[in-house]
């Protein structure tokens, strides 16, 4: 058990779209990821996914709408909902999701991370 | 599904030690609470509990140590670990824990909140 400093952890991340595990509790994981550009449309059939923006701004395209998440805000994508994260500028995001969640959900892509490392 | 702004939600909270639910996902809840002063020593036998400090500083006394959590940091208290949160000055905390988690764990106290409201 140790205190996790988000700024310190994000300073260790040099890439984008590659989530890393910062903590695990109750079968859920806290993952940290830097995002820039447009991801792939995907969905998680069995898992709700929370996006908290730590720095910057993240947009999430949904089937019939789009939400904008600013620093200090979060958004939960309900299981089964198609979504596509888009970051015009690099942003820092904390994810809360089951340990089983794959970043690209039901899709396999060059950015799929099968076994995220701890950070 | 809506974007949750932590600052806006905390501005609605006028009391301390009374957690309110901001979101639910995968059987877990995101709760927001203002803390000031010393809480009661307690433990959660089956539930890990994450404390993220959104504003201010929180100390958590543990059986043989104490951790200090600053803004932008979080700490996970593992299930079965006795702990006592202490805030010298009022702080704003985001909790992540199973929906079943009672704020005072195995203890009943005047600050026990059996059924937290949504905010």
């Amino acid at each position: 058990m140790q205190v996790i400093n988000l700024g310190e952890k994000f300073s260790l991340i040099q890439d984008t779209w590659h989530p890393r595990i910062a903590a695990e509790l109750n079968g859920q994981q806290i993952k940290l990821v830097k995002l820039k550009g447009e991801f792939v449309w995907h969905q998680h059939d069995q898992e709700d996914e929370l996006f908290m923006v730590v720095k910057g701004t993240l947009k999430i395209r949904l089937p019939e709408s789009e939400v904008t998440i600013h620093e200090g805000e979060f958004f939960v994508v309900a299981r089964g909902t198609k979504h596509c994260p888009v970051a015009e500028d690099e942003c820092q995001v904390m994810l809360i999701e089951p340990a089983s969640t794959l970043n690209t959900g039901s899709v396999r892509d060059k950015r799929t991370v099968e076994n995220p490392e701890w950070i």
Side-chain angles (χ1 to χ4, degrees), chain A residues 71-119:
Chain A
E71 197 171 310
E73 296 182 335
F74 70 78
F75 182 75
V76 178
V77 177
R79 60 189 65 190
T81 304
K82 284 190 187 300
H83 58 286
C84 179
V86 180
E88 289 179 20
D89 298 305
E90 184 176 285
C91 66
Q92 300 178 357
V93 174
M94 187 179 98
L95 302 167
I96 307 173
E97 57 195 19
S100 58
T101 306
L102 190 67
N103 64 332
T104 53
S106 52
V107 172
R108 288 298 180 283
D109 181 79
K110 62 182 180 181
R111 289 173 293 189
T112 298
V113 180
E114 298 279 355
N115 295 298
E117 311 93 314
W118 279 74
I119 193 166

Side-chain angles (χ1 to χ4, degrees), chain A residues 53-82:
Chain A
V53 174
V54 176
K55 194 169 184 180
T57 300
L58 173 66
K59 293 185 178 183
I60 297 183
R61 293 185 186 143
L62 300 166
E64 295 186 3
S65 62
E66 178 181 275
V67 294
T68 302
I69 314 166
H70 299 98
E71 197 171 310
E73 296 182 335
F74 70 78
F75 182 75
V76 178
V77 177
R79 60 189 65 190
T81 304
K82 284 190 187 300

Side-chain angles (χ1 to χ4, degrees), chain A residues 24-75:
Chain A
E24 184 160 341
L25 67 160
N26 306 303
Q28 315 296 306
Q29 288 179 336
I30 310 296
K31 295 176 186 168
L32 306 181
V33 63
K34 289 184 176 176
L35 307 181
K36 184 175 182 182
E38 185 172 333
F39 203 46
V40 57
W41 277 93
H42 67 284
Q43 69 189 72
H44 310 279
D45 289 332
Q46 305 297 333
E47 297 133 330
D48 309 316
E49 184 172 40
L50 185 147
F51 293 78
M52 170 167 285
V53 174
V54 176
K55 194 169 184 180
T57 300
L58 173 66
K59 293 185 178 183
I60 297 183
R61 293 185 186 143
L62 300 166
E64 295 186 3
S65 62
E66 178 181 275
V67 294
T68 302
I69 314 166
H70 299 98
E71 197 171 310
E73 296 182 335
F74 70 78
F75 182 75

